Amino acid sequence: MDGAASSDSWQHSPMEKPASTPWEGDISSSDLAKLMHGRIPETMENKWFIYADAADARGKVTIHFCRSWTGAEIVLLNISVSLNAAGSVDLSAPAKILGITWASDCQTEEEAKLVVQDLCRGLLLCDFANQL
């Protein structure tokens, strides 16, 4: 599928028992574009649905990592982006990782960080994941 993923692109459910912690990292503009585009699975067997919320007025964005089969939200990556004059994400500017939220009933903080690194590197082809 060629269009950007949104919350309406695939059935999913909110995370249960979330836990959060700060996490820092830099995201290049090319990787930011990949994160904002996300990933819509072609079939449930593709395992992951990844989408970004629209930026708020302060440039905060949440990237959602959901299992495609169950729709369960597993990890949220919280980032800070630059906004253009129209208030949209400026995809020509780099971004910063602010923190991570994970489903504490099914994984640890370390496992959640590995999920983000593996999916960003393997599915979205983001280089920043190698630096975390």
Side-chain angles (χ1 to χ4, degrees):
M1 298 183 182
D2 290 335
S6 72
S7 64
D8 296 330
S9 299
W10 196 264
Q11 184 177 358
H12 62 284
S13 56
M15 183 182 303
E16 294 184 23
K17 299 184 181 177
S20 298
T21 193
W23 196 23
E24 295 181 1
D26 296 321
I27 302 170
S28 69
S29 59
S30 62
D31 283 349
L32 175 61
K34 294 171 189 176
L35 281 173
M36 295 303 295
H37 187 271
R39 181 175 188 272
I40 303 169
E42 293 180 20
T43 65
M44 285 187 196
E45 289 76 19
N46 290 147
K47 298 186 180 179
W48 292 98
F49 167 49
I50 304 168
Y51 74 95
D53 287 336
D56 70 14
R58 296 176 296 144
K60 304 297 186 255
V61 172
T62 299
I63 311 296
H64 301 255
F65 296 82
C66 306
R67 297 295 297 185
S68 63
W69 186 260
T70 63
E73 194 172 62
I74 302 298
V75 180
L76 305 176
L77 183 65
N78 304 301
I79 65 174
S80 177
V81 301
S82 296
L83 301 177
N84 61 25
S88 298
V89 176
D90 181 354
L91 295 176
S92 67
K96 294 267 187 199
I97 296 172
L98 301 175
I100 186 171
T101 301
W102 65 95
S104 65
D105 57 337
C106 65
Q107 62 191 330
T108 65
E109 174 185 340
E110 292 76 23
E111 291 168 333
K113 288 178 176 179
L114 284 174
V115 166
V116 169
Q117 291 168 316
D118 289 346
L119 295 177
C120 287
R121 183 177 33 249
L123 292 180
L124 300 179
L125 306 177
C126 292
D127 293 326
F128 80 89
N130 295 324
Q131 311 305 317
L132 298 174

